[in-house]
């Protein structure tokens, strides 16, 4: 798998962050198996796919808390958390 494909995977995740990106959808996007994508993603990024998505959602949600006047519950829901308690 080329570095460009890894970059495409990361770009796809970033563009689909509010839709809760999944490994199977990303694998379909780049045309490789879930297992192969998972292994290569972890190898190149340094953390598993699921952890990367979680960290990015948390980062984006934190930025929204700082930069907007949105309610915590609205931000939590926007980034796929089940409640503001789960987000907190």
């Amino acid at each position: 798998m080329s570095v460009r494909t890894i970059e495409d995977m990361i770009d796809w995740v970033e563009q689909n962050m509010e839709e809760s990106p999944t490994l199977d959808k990303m694998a379909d996007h780049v045309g490789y198996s879930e297992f192969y994508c998972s292994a290569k993603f972890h190898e190149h990024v340094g953390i598993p796919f699921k952890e990367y998505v979680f960290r990015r959602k948390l980062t984006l949600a934190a930025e929204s808390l700082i930069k907007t006047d949105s309610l915590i519950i609205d931000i939590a829901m926007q980034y796929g958390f089940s409640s503001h308690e789960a987000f907190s």
Side-chain angles (χ1 to χ4, degrees):
M1 181 177 286
S2 71
V3 172
R4 180 65 207 131
T5 303
I6 300 295
E7 290 171 352
D8 188 33
M9 289 168 35
I10 293 169
D11 290 344
W12 182 88
V13 169
E14 294 296 327
Q15 292 167 3
N16 291 281
M17 194 58 66
E18 290 185 24
E19 287 81 38
S20 295
T22 62
L23 184 58
D24 64 321
K25 289 179 184 175
M26 183 188 66
D28 283 344
H29 173 73
V30 295
Y32 289 96
S33 73
E34 290 178 44
F35 178 80
Y36 189 66
C37 285
S38 178
K40 291 300 178 180
F41 190 93
H42 190 179
E43 179 182 322
H44 288 275
V45 178
I47 58 175
F49 173 81
K50 194 171 186 177
E51 185 176 344
Y52 178 85
V53 171
F54 176 75
R55 287 184 183 187
R56 288 297 297 142
K57 283 184 175 189
L58 200 54
T59 298
L60 293 170
E63 288 175 358
S64 290
L65 283 172
I66 293 167
K67 295 178 181 177
T68 70
D69 291 329
S70 298
L71 298 173
I72 292 174
I73 187 66
D74 293 336
I75 293 171
M77 295 295 119
Q78 178 182 358
Y79 288 101
F81 293 90
S82 59
S83 66
H84 72 280
E85 290 93 351
F87 174 60
S88 298

